[in-house]
Amino acid sequence: MDRAALADFLRRRRESLQPGDVGLVAGARRRAPGLRREEVAALAAMSTDYYTRLEQQRGPQPSPQMLASLARALRLTSDERDYLFRVAGHNAPATVSTTTHVAPALLRVLDRLDDTPALVLSNLGETLVQNRMADALFGDRSGHTGLARSEIYRWFTDPAERLRYPEPDRDRQSRAQVANLRAAYGSMGPQSRAGEIVRALQKASPDFAELWDRHEVAQRFADHKTLIHPELGPIELDCQALFTEDQSQALLVLTAPPRSEGYEKLKLLAVLGHERFPIDAPPR
């Protein structure tokens, strides 16, 4: 671990960014250039004290997960991210795991979507980053670990995952989840993480095994769906997906036509913000 190089790199990258670059409001006049340390810490989901110690060359060695969060917070390119890992004493992420790194250009689009739910998903249905409206609609998905990071895996193993959809829509959603996984499996191969999810679900879910044998393949670019919020009830939304060139990530944006009931409920959702409600609470 090269503490001096790590500290200098973090400081210079922080000072090169403006609040608007990461979706923040500039606020009162600033004394120093760039972002504040507490802003970077909040974006990376770490304490300000921890981040400050890294910049002061006295912090512990960051974990790969922490470095990945910092790379996203500082809007690093793939080359810059690899450099960050190396000066922190880790190998650069393997090729198979690079799909968890969100491209700065995609993050810039997400930063500007503050009035409607939007999130970046991997081709395995892993939530890589989400805005405050997606957090209010779906809850914070960052706490999942292992295979459960994939919403496809959770759909077939966690009954609570299906409560977000009306019962008549669940069969169609099951087919869509499997078709998406089949597309990822085709591009990543049987020995990839996609293959690991397939093998686990074939053992855990007869429903998945039956659908997998159909060999349906699809990536959804557009969809219309109804999602059930525990406080607001059913919300009809249009979904649009913007894929990266290699199809490994998608920016999913959920909107509703102006003056529609779904549009009004999204406005209420913005007021609810980060309040948390039980997933199994009945709609009002």
Side-chain angles (χ1 to χ4, degrees):
M1 178 177 174
D2 188 336
R3 292 181 182 275
L6 175 63
D8 191 52
F9 180 68
L10 291 175
R11 178 179 59 81
R12 289 182 180 275
R13 285 298 303 157
R14 174 175 61 82
E15 292 177 351
S16 71
L17 293 170
Q18 297 300 315
D21 297 336
V22 295
L24 299 177
V25 178
R29 188 169 61 182
R30 295 166 177 250
R31 298 178 183 177
L35 298 179
R36 298 186 177 107
R37 285 172 174 167
E38 58 266 29
E39 290 171 334
V40 174
L43 290 168
M46 63 178 63
S47 71
T48 301
D49 177 68
Y50 182 91
Y51 178 78
T52 299
R53 283 186 287 149
L54 290 178
E55 279 202 11
Q56 294 177 345
Q57 304 184 36
R58 58 187 182 89
Q61 183 184 33
S63 67
Q65 293 78 13
M66 194 68 75
L67 292 171
S69 294
L70 278 171
R72 278 197 292 268
L74 294 170
R75 304 307 193 252
L76 301 186
T77 65
S78 296
D79 290 339
E80 290 169 335
R81 177 210 56 205
D82 290 353
Y83 175 80
L84 175 67
F85 270 73
R86 292 187 180 106
V87 296
H90 293 281
N91 293 325
T95 302
V96 294
S97 65
T98 56
T99 54
T100 61
H101 177 69
V102 183
L106 208 56
L107 285 173
R108 285 196 294 271
V109 178
L110 180 68
D111 290 338
R112 283 156 177 76
L113 297 171
D114 59 358
D115 61 347
T116 196
L119 58 162
V120 178
L121 297 170
S122 75
N123 57 352
L124 297 177
E126 300 161 328
T127 298
L128 305 179
V129 62
Q130 61 191 97
N131 66 6
R132 66 177 187 86
M133 287 288 287
D135 196 2
L137 179 62
F138 295 108
D140 184 3
R141 295 182 167 191
S142 63
H144 297 293
T145 59
L147 297 182
R149 289 186 59 222
S150 166
E151 68 175 17
I152 304 171
Y153 180 84
R154 296 195 307 274
W155 181 261
F156 290 98
T157 59
D158 183 359
E161 192 75 13
R162 303 191 177 205
L163 297 179
R164 288 289 182 192
Y165 289 82
E167 188 169 356
D169 295 348
R170 294 173 190 172
D171 286 344
R172 184 173 73 93
Q173 182 67 10
S174 292
R175 291 181 62 185
Q177 294 281 22
V178 176
N180 282 338
L181 181 57
R182 175 69 74 173
Y185 181 88
S187 63
M188 300 173 70
Q191 300 308 313
S192 65
R193 184 171 174 81
E196 184 181 4
I197 293 174
V198 169
R199 290 187 290 274
L201 286 178
Q202 284 176 321
K203 295 179 181 179
S205 170
D207 183 24
F208 171 86
E210 190 274 328
L211 291 173
W212 183 254
D213 286 342
R214 296 186 185 184
H215 285 263
E216 295 177 337
V217 185
Q219 285 184 311
R220 288 174 297 170
F221 287 81
D223 195 7
H224 179 84
K225 64 175 64 180
T226 299
L227 296 174
I228 299 176
H229 187 273
E231 285 294 304
L232 301 179
I235 308 176
E236 288 194 42
L237 297 169
D238 293 317
C239 304
Q240 294 291 330
L242 173 63
F243 284 83
T244 55
E245 185 175 358
D246 64 359
Q247 303 287 297
S248 65
Q249 294 177 3
L251 172 63
L252 186 67
V253 183
L254 299 102
T255 62
R259 296 175 298 280
S260 66
E261 183 179 359
Y263 181 82
E264 295 303 321
K265 286 188 175 182
L266 284 183
K267 289 167 63 176
L268 287 174
L269 188 68
V271 176
L272 289 177
H274 291 278
E275 291 187 50
R276 290 290 175 267
F277 305 97
I279 186 65
D280 55 354
R284 292 180 179 178

